[in-house]
Amino acid sequence: MLESKMKWVLHNVVNTPAIDLPFSNVIKRMLAKRGIQTTEDANQFLHASLEDLHDPFLFSDMNIAVDRIRKAIEHHEQILIFGDYDADGVTSTAVLVRTLRRLGANVHYYIPNRFTEGYGPNENAFMEAHEAGIDLIITVDTGIAAPNEAKLAKQLGIDLIITDHHEEQDEMPEALAIIHPRLSEMYPFDHLAGVGVAFKLAHALLGQLPKELLALAAIGTVADLVPLIDENRVIVKKGLEELQHTSDGGLKALKTIGKIEEVTEDSIGFIIGPRLNAVGRLQDASLAVDLLLEDDELIAEDMAQEIDALNKERQKIVSNCVEEALEEIENHYLNDKVIVLAKEGWNPGVLGIVASRIVNQYHRPTIVLGIDPEKNEAKGSARSIPAYDIFKNGMEVRHLFLQFGGHAQAAGMTVAVDQIDELRKALNERAEEILDESDFQPVLNIEDEIDWEEVDLNLPRQLSYLAPFGMGNEKPYFQLNGLTLLEARKIGAKKNHIKISALKDSKKIDMVGFQIGDVADCLSPGSLIDVVGEIEINEWNGQQKLQLKIKDIRCLESQVFDYRGKKLELINLPKDAVIITFKGQSNLLDFDVIDYNKHKANLSNLLHDTTKIVLIDLPSSLTELEDVLSVQHYESIYVCFHNHDEQFFTSSLTRNHFKTLYTTLLQHKVIQENQKQQLARAKGWNMKQLEFMLQVFFELNFVTMENGDIRLQSNVRQQPLTNSKTYLDQMQKIEVERTLYYSTADELKEWIMSHMKPQLKEGEVVHGL
């Protein structure tokens, strides 16, 4: 048995909609899940168009913002774009700077330093802007949580336009205009990223949709993990096309440094986004903005290399922080429902990544803080699980933060050092009330349970029409049930990946799993497995084959691992297994060992909670093994028999052999010691067979033995061979060897399963006396 690592949640639809398009039923069911039932709607979804984007003037303050910006351009006023230091923030900044430059504006930009200023607008930055002669500040991807800074701007005579998408807080900032999806009743889509809002403002200012800015908008949208539905889907789908063929120096340099040939949403999520984020995590984020604004390819290449070096440095810092954080958890906070960690020396710029890594490992809401001993403050980030809204629950204890903001699954904060313990206590008390153990198991959302008969080489190609995948349009994972495992082997230089082949209705299915090589030790050929994964095309030597990339795997039946004849030290046995010995072996100190002959009266108690057993030697009888198997329905049984005292040779002996020996004794009356070899050769026996038959005759009083000579008794009383203990013991050993050692793997498994205690189904009760 192998349990899945995640909780599988199947969201399939039963009925296939009547969509008149040349797509498989799998695709049509996927469309139905996304609320698409008609051919017209399917066409619109599969072939997303820029015409599907909403009118930017549906934002309630858009006219005010556009008029003020145009006035500033007309009067040559100084405009400042105030951005944020993450990928969404720097792309938002680049979008508006490029737009305003195109319109001839006198435009500058400002990104606050994460370490000295923190997130969002701050009074010192606004004061410096005033001293520099700034007349208009436009925030991008920030500003909605800055009421005090808005008041200061008004006092300084600076007009403020806020474009943002973050959660609004109790007090709204007083600004000339606020462009925010959720705060505009007429705007039909609430989930734009910060760069999406900036892109809508650019569209309104230019009077036409700026296709050349779609690549930037796509990068910020994917990197900020907003739902890829509605407008976001269009922005990313079309933005990826623009990014594939971009002529922008900065974007080309990012693609080159990241070795990107075919641009996908994963190219942004795993290559471009992390590099842009790395700059603001370690230093001033202006380098990232400058790269996105740079058209000279040589200069852009130098910038991209510098950013790549920062990303590598960031990776090392993250690795060290994660190692220290895991040690803290294991030593102090392993039982906490909300993990709150704080330490001096932790770089606040990478703590969001650290928190994500911890959530991935422990699946608990996590806050990670870096302590500044001079300020007596701790600044950091939070990441959460689906069952726990970190923003909502953080707002419940808002008084314990100096600063706090974010989303349901991610937040940033500053905390006074002397409030950290109180914060940990408060959040855990609240979590005790609203979370149970099932909330802490990671969920794997499954697109559909499919039959392999439905799958052909066209399906992966058709799936690309539903891309880009992300939040709200999740990458599809498909479930296949009841596959007969043929082989599971470790692959890769470190043997940390797995290659699996299985059968379903005579069709072979090839599968590969990355970073799950250990699973190979938990699967036995012939077992029935269920698998969840991505369906893709594997191309090798010009040939294309379907392949499943494994996300998770399980085996719901007990498994028998056939290691007969193999050296025990070469077998990777689970540490929680219990070893059963029938011959009294006691040299296996790393495992719990139960000696059957010493403890057979107490087997039920000793094996009551055991799920895995290892059989290291053959029992004297099948009954002994039946005793062990009847105690428990074991998940895994490892059969590691060695047959050093082989007795199976006697299986060739029949009653005729005994009759032949008896006839010979009748003729010669005596067989001398030195005649035994000659007799065995003459009859085609080996010496073990001859000695065995003579011992049986001796026990039946057919012969006497004296000085090695064998003499037939007179007046022999006929009796069955089974009256001989030697004969019975030998036949019993032969039966054990034939059943447990010389049987096929399938025969062995069938015998073991038929004698193991049945598994109770959920809710089943067994009544007895």
Side-chain angles (χ1 to χ4, degrees):
M1 186 174 291
L2 173 67
E3 293 185 359
S4 59
K5 294 183 178 180
M6 291 175 272
K7 181 165 62 178
W8 296 7
V9 179
L10 183 62
H11 299 284
N12 62 331
V13 295
V14 177
N15 298 318
T16 302
I19 294 174
D20 186 18
L21 289 174
F23 285 89
S24 76
N25 286 337
V26 175
I27 300 295
K28 292 176 182 179
R29 291 197 298 270
M30 291 177 67
L31 291 171
K33 272 183 61 177
R34 287 154 178 79
I36 298 165
Q37 296 284 345
T38 68
T39 303
E40 182 182 357
D41 289 343
N43 263 319
Q44 184 176 9
F45 182 84
L46 295 171
H47 307 285
S49 167
L50 292 175
E51 294 177 0
D52 298 327
L53 295 177
H54 306 306
D55 183 350
F57 286 98
L58 291 174
F59 281 99
S60 54
D61 284 357
M62 186 61 80
N63 279 307
I64 298 172
V66 169
D67 288 346
R68 179 64 185 91
I69 295 169
R70 285 177 176 165
K71 179 185 174 183
I73 296 171
E74 182 180 346
H75 292 88
H76 305 289
E77 294 180 76
Q78 301 266 13
I79 303 174
L80 178 69
I81 307 301
F82 193 105
D84 188 26
Y85 37 66
D86 66 2
D88 189 16
V90 298
T91 53
S92 301
T93 304
V95 162
L96 277 192
V97 170
R98 280 189 174 273
T99 299
L100 292 175
R101 283 180 179 176
R102 177 174 166 183
L103 292 171
N106 189 355
V107 61
H108 315 273
Y109 75 85
Y110 185 90
I111 306 289
N113 186 291
R114 182 193 293 263
F115 307 100
T116 59
E117 299 171 85
Y119 171 78
N122 62 85
E123 294 185 358
N124 286 338
F126 276 26
M127 292 291 291
E128 290 179 10
H130 174 65
E131 293 171 5
I134 297 296
D135 302 293
L136 173 63
I137 294 177
I138 306 171
T139 71
V140 289
D141 192 36
T142 187
I144 199 63
N148 294 331
E149 287 76 11
K151 290 175 185 175
L152 176 61
K154 189 173 183 179
Q155 293 170 8
L156 296 172
I158 298 175
D159 284 334
L160 176 65
I161 296 173
I162 293 174
T163 75
D164 201 355
H165 72 124
H166 290 95
E167 296 280 354
E168 59 273 22
Q169 301 203 11
D170 295 337
E171 184 180 357
M172 292 294 295
E174 186 180 348
L176 177 67
I178 296 178
I179 312 296
H180 191 296
R182 283 190 303 280
L183 300 179
S184 296
E185 291 184 8
M186 297 297 293
Y187 201 77
F189 184 58
D190 289 346
H191 303 292
L192 287 170
V195 72
V197 181
F199 182 81
K200 303 304 289 192
L201 178 55
H203 183 179
L205 284 167
L206 293 168
Q208 61 183 15
L209 192 141
K211 285 185 64 178
E212 69 279 5
L213 298 178
L214 278 168
L216 290 172
I219 291 171
T221 299
V222 172
D224 212 49
L225 301 178
V226 291
L228 294 190
I229 56 176
D230 201 281
E231 278 195 299
N232 288 341
R233 172 177 166 76
V234 178
I235 288 171
V236 174
K237 193 174 185 73
K238 296 302 179 182
L240 290 173
E241 295 172 7
E242 291 292 324
L243 186 55
Q244 181 71 48
H245 306 290
T246 185
S247 59
D248 288 353
L251 295 180
K252 287 177 71 174
L254 278 172
K255 288 169 59 180
T256 300
I257 204 76
K259 299 178 181 177
I260 299 171
E261 295 181 2
E262 183 179 353
V263 176
T264 66
E265 60 272 31
D266 286 343
S267 307
I268 296 172
F270 297 107
I271 300 174
I272 295 176
R275 283 169 170 78
L276 292 176
N277 278 321
V279 184
R281 294 186 188 282
L282 300 185
Q283 61 175 44
D284 189 302
S286 298
L287 175 62
V289 180
D290 290 340
L291 174 64
L292 297 178
L293 296 174
E294 184 57 60
D295 290 322
D296 187 295
E297 293 189 12
L298 289 177
I299 297 174
E301 284 177 13
D302 286 342
M303 289 180 173
Q305 288 175 0
E306 186 178 349
I307 285 175
D308 192 56
L310 286 170
N311 188 52
K312 290 175 180 175
E313 182 183 348
R314 186 271 305 167
Q315 290 171 333
K316 292 179 182 178
I317 294 171
V318 167
S319 180
N320 291 335
C321 285
V322 168
E323 187 176 335
E324 293 176 7
L326 295 182
E327 185 177 353
E328 282 285 300
I329 294 168
E330 293 293 327
N331 290 336
H332 304 292
Y333 306 114
L334 201 53
N335 296 319
D336 284 11
K337 283 185 164 56
V338 178
I339 296 172
V340 179
L341 305 172
K343 190 173 183 180
E344 285 186 33
W346 281 352
N347 185 326
V350 303
L351 297 186
I353 303 174
V354 175
S356 292
R357 299 272 180 89
I358 294 170
V359 171
N360 288 340
Q361 180 154 340
Y362 295 97
H363 206 67
R364 275 156 170 63
T366 301
I367 295 175
V368 186
L369 303 163
I371 295 175
D372 184 338
E374 294 183 4
K375 294 183 178 179
N376 205 31
E377 293 177 355
K379 185 180 295 184
S381 298
R383 296 293 183 268
S384 196
I385 58 177
Y388 188 84
D389 187 323
I390 193 71
F391 179 78
K392 178 181 177 182
N393 284 281
M395 290 301 288
E396 292 286 333
V397 291
R398 181 68 177 82
H399 61 284
L400 296 175
F401 296 100
L402 297 174
Q403 287 182 310
F404 181 78
H407 305 292
Q409 298 297 293
M413 69 285 296
T414 304
V415 187
V417 171
D418 59 6
Q419 292 293 305
I420 293 173
D421 290 339
E422 184 64 27
L423 176 65
R424 181 183 296 111
K425 179 182 176 184
L427 290 175
N428 272 281
E429 287 176 351
R430 174 75 175 142
E432 285 285 349
E433 298 174 3
I434 62 176
L435 297 177
D436 58 42
E437 286 305 313
S438 65
D439 293 323
F440 299 124
Q441 185 179 9
V443 171
L444 175 56
N445 291 309
I446 299 170
E447 181 74 36
D448 198 358
E449 180 183 324
I450 62 171
D451 190 328
W452 198 246
E453 292 286 343
E454 297 180 287
V455 181
D456 59 24
L457 285 171
N458 286 321
L459 182 63
R461 301 185 184 107
Q462 292 176 0
L463 284 171
S464 65
Y465 282 88
L466 279 80
F469 296 113
M471 296 283 290
N473 183 35
E474 304 291 340
K475 181 176 290 186
Y477 296 110
F478 297 100
Q479 181 173 338
L480 295 171
N481 292 334
L483 310 182
T484 302
L485 179 67
L486 296 176
E487 182 186 32
R489 59 187 175 90
K490 297 178 181 179
I491 59 173
K494 298 180 180 179
K495 301 298 181 185
N496 54 337
H497 310 310
I498 191 171
K499 182 83 172 176
I500 289 178
S501 59
L503 282 180
K504 180 65 174 180
D505 299 329
S506 301
K507 279 197 168 185
K508 186 180 177 185
I509 304 171
D510 293 321
M511 293 170 270
V512 63
F514 297 102
Q515 306 302 329
I516 56 169
D518 58 314
V519 168
D521 297 323
C522 305
L523 291 173
S524 174
S527 300
L528 292 179
I529 59 174
D530 304 329
V531 184
V532 176
E534 299 174 58
I535 297 172
E536 59 185 18
I537 294 174
N538 179 32
E539 189 163 348
W540 179 255
N541 287 338
Q543 288 191 328
Q544 292 185 333
K545 291 177 63 177
L546 283 170
Q547 176 177 273
L548 192 79
K549 187 162 73 174
I550 300 168
K551 183 70 175 179
D552 203 1
I553 187 170
R554 70 187 182 192
C555 177
L556 298 179
E557 64 176 10
S558 297
Q559 295 187 91
V560 176
F561 294 84
D562 186 3
Y563 294 131
R564 289 174 292 182
K566 294 185 178 179
K567 291 183 178 180
L568 202 59
E569 59 268 22
L570 299 180
I571 301 170
N572 190 10
L573 297 172
K575 293 300 181 184
D576 58 340
V578 173
I579 287 184
I580 309 295
T581 177
F582 299 98
K583 299 291 193 295
Q585 293 192 45
S586 59
N587 59 341
L588 301 156
L589 302 180
D590 292 338
F591 293 89
D592 291 332
V593 180
I594 294 178
D595 187 326
Y596 170 83
N597 292 301
K598 290 182 180 179
H599 302 291
K600 58 185 175 181
N602 198 32
L603 283 178
S604 294
N605 291 331
L606 292 175
L607 294 173
H608 178 69
D609 294 323
T610 301
T611 59
K612 303 179 183 72
I613 59 171
V614 182
L615 307 172
I616 59 168
D617 46 29
L618 286 165
S620 298
S621 70
L622 294 178
T623 303
E624 293 181 354
L625 181 53
E626 289 170 5
D627 288 346
V628 173
L629 295 175
S630 65
V631 171
Q632 182 62 273
H633 190 89
Y634 306 101
E635 293 178 4
S636 304
I637 299 171
Y638 298 81
V639 182
C640 306
F641 298 142
H642 286 261
N643 197 15
H644 302 298
D645 184 27
E646 186 175 37
Q647 302 297 325
F648 197 65
F649 71 92
T650 53
S651 64
S652 62
L653 293 178
T654 65
R655 290 181 179 275
N656 285 333
H657 293 94
F658 284 93
K659 185 176 180 180
T660 299
L661 178 60
Y662 188 74
T663 300
T664 302
L665 286 167
L666 279 174
Q667 292 175 349
H668 298 281
K669 306 301 182 185
V670 177
I671 298 175
Q672 296 178 353
E673 175 71 22
N674 59 6
Q675 295 176 318
K676 289 180 183 178
Q677 290 276 6
Q678 181 182 353
L679 174 62
R681 283 196 301 270
K683 301 301 181 182
W685 304 328
N686 60 48
M687 284 301 295
K688 281 189 175 181
Q689 291 174 312
L690 177 59
E691 294 287 1
F692 169 67
M693 288 189 287
L694 291 173
Q695 180 62 31
V696 171
F697 280 180
F698 176 76
E699 290 181 7
L700 296 176
N701 295 315
F702 290 176
V703 298
T704 59
M705 297 182 182
E706 185 177 347
N707 297 325
D709 295 340
I710 307 299
R711 189 180 303 274
L712 181 67
Q713 290 275 63
S714 59
N715 301 321
V716 171
R717 181 175 65 85
Q718 295 295 323
Q719 53 182 311
L721 294 174
T722 51
N723 282 359
S724 164
K725 184 177 184 303
T726 294
Y727 182 84
L728 284 177
D729 287 348
Q730 198 71 352
M731 291 305 104
Q732 192 167 253
K733 290 177 182 177
I734 291 169
E735 183 184 23
V736 167
E737 290 179 3
R738 181 187 295 114
T739 304
L740 303 180
Y741 196 78
Y742 292 104
S743 55
T744 66
D746 288 342
E747 290 170 342
L748 177 66
K749 180 179 179 180
E750 183 179 352
W751 188 92
I752 287 176
M753 291 302 182
S754 67
H755 290 84
M756 190 161 59
K757 181 179 179 179
Q759 184 176 19
L760 292 181
K761 297 179 180 178
E762 189 174 348
E764 184 178 347
V765 178
V766 175
H767 297 280
L769 297 177

